[in-house]
């Protein structure tokens, strides 16, 4: 395990009418973690295809989780260390 803490956000910004997608915000602390490693670790835990469980489309890595009570917006305001789809080609 990485010891990372995760939070999720809903639709990310984009063009009006764009389909919303799941973004995972991960506080990695001192753990060296990339979006690709986060995606591999998460998909290893997801049940077989057809379960209805989907992996996030985007991973945003930050150092520490937010301390404030308004956690959804607080995650978005944190300084990003790295971000990406966690897959071979960026989406």
């Amino acid at each position: 395990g990485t010891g990372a803490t995760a939070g999720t956000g809903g639709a990310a910004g984009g063009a009006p009418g764009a389909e919303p997608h799941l973004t995972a915000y991960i506080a990695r602390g001192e753990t060296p973690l990339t979006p690709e490693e986060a995606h591999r670790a998460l998909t290893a835990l997801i049940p077989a295809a057809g379960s209805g469980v989907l992996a996030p489309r985007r991973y945003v890595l930050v150092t520490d989780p937010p301390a404030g009570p308004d956690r959804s917006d607080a995650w978005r305001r944190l300084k990003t260390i790295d971000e990406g789809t966690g897959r071979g080609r960026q989406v």
Side-chain angles (χ1 to χ4, degrees), residues 10-68:
E19 186 175 329
H21 59 268
L22 182 65
T23 298
Y25 288 82
I26 301 173
R28 70 178 201 175
E30 297 299 317
T31 304
L33 182 70
T34 66
E36 291 76 16
E37 291 165 334
H39 181 68
R40 278 196 303 273
L42 181 64
T43 55
L45 300 173
I46 293 177
S51 67
V53 178
L54 300 174
R57 184 170 173 190
R58 186 156 205 78
Y59 297 86
V60 177
L61 305 178
V62 299
T63 302
D64 297 304

Side-chain angles (χ1 to χ4, degrees), residues 6-12 20-25 56 58 71-73 75-76:
T8 56
H21 59 268
L22 182 65
T23 298
Y25 288 82
R58 186 156 205 78
R71 293 177 62 87
S72 292
D73 283 339
W75 282 98
R76 292 182 192 102

Side-chain angles (χ1 to χ4, degrees), residues 35-36 39-40 84-91:
E36 291 76 16
H39 181 68
R40 278 196 303 273
T85 65
R87 293 152 179 88
R89 83 179 210 289
Q90 297 296 306
V91 176

